[in-house]
Each structure stands twice: as C-alpha cells, then as structure tokens.
Amino acid sequence: MSDGGNGSLLAQPLRPPSAGRTAALVGLLLLGAVTGLAGALLQAAWFPGGLLLALAGAAGLFLGGAYATGGRGGAVAPAAGWVVAVLLLTTTRPEGDYLFGAGGSSYLYLLGGMALAVICATVGAGRQPRGGPARLGK
C-alpha cells in the first residue's frame, strides 16, 4: 500500500496534529471528565435506570468522539477524562466523606464504564483508506 508513490504509510514521518484536532481532543477530554462526574451522581440517584443511563451516556460520548474525529483518539480522549474524574471521585476526603458508596451499583459503574471505554476505543472508528470502494490490493 502506498500513499501517492511516497512509500508505505508506516514509513512516512510523524506530523503533529492540527490545532483544530488538538482543540477537539482537549474538549473531548474535558467533556469526558464532566460525563464521569454526572454519571457518578446519576447512578446512585436512580439505581437501575440511572446506572444504565450513565453508562449509555459514557458509551455515546466515547463512540461519538471516535466518529467525530475520524479516529480512535477521539474515543481515547474522553475515556481518559472519564477515568481520571471517576478515580479522583473514589478517594476519600479528610472528613471521611466520599462520593461513591460501597454498593454494587458503584462497582458496576466503575467497571462497566472502564470496559465500555476499552471497547469503544478498540472497536471505534479507525482510520479508513481513502478512495473508492475497490479492494486495496488492486
């Protein structure tokens, strides 16, 4: 496979991302952190429905970010923001308060969200070759 006669895509030098792509990924990172916070509050409020709604919102953000940016980085950025926010919310404060209880709903949210992040980052919209619908080997 070649890119206009310049050799293999793997042999091309790495270029820094454009300013627009960097801004989009930083925005997705912050949106992932907000989604993690909102989901942490929502999953405890309405147990079965809130948990499902929080996980569906996280999955929608991860997969939507992948499709919006056209690559897996769009799923990894909000997933990283979500994980950092949720892990910071699990720590106890000096007063002994914490946001997550020791119930099954909290563990399902933590583990389910991390599993969804991995699934969406792996299966999400990867880079597709440009060109027509013909086979690549032609």
Side-chain angles (χ1 to χ4, degrees):
M1 291 185 281
S2 65
D3 187 23
N6 293 333
S8 172
L9 287 175
L10 295 174
Q12 300 296 321
L14 292 175
R15 294 181 306 242
S18 66
R21 183 171 179 84
T22 302
L25 291 177
V26 168
L28 285 170
L29 180 89
L30 295 175
L31 194 58
V34 170
T35 303
L37 174 65
L41 296 173
L42 184 66
Q43 60 88 20
W46 306 312
F47 168 59
L51 175 65
L52 293 175
L53 185 62
L55 289 175
L61 176 64
F62 303 153
L63 202 56
Y67 283 117
T69 60
R72 289 189 177 98
V76 172
W82 184 91
V83 166
V84 168
V86 168
L87 289 180
L88 287 177
L89 292 173
T90 59
T91 60
T92 60
R93 296 182 10 194
E95 297 87 22
D97 300 335
Y98 52 92
L99 191 61
F100 284 103
S105 173
S106 299
Y107 292 120
L108 283 174
Y109 178 66
L110 291 170
L111 297 175
M114 288 180 193
L116 284 172
V118 170
I119 289 169
C120 291
T122 304
V123 179
R127 294 185 188 181
Q128 297 295 320
R130 295 185 182 117
R135 291 188 342 201
L136 294 176
K138 283 185 156 182

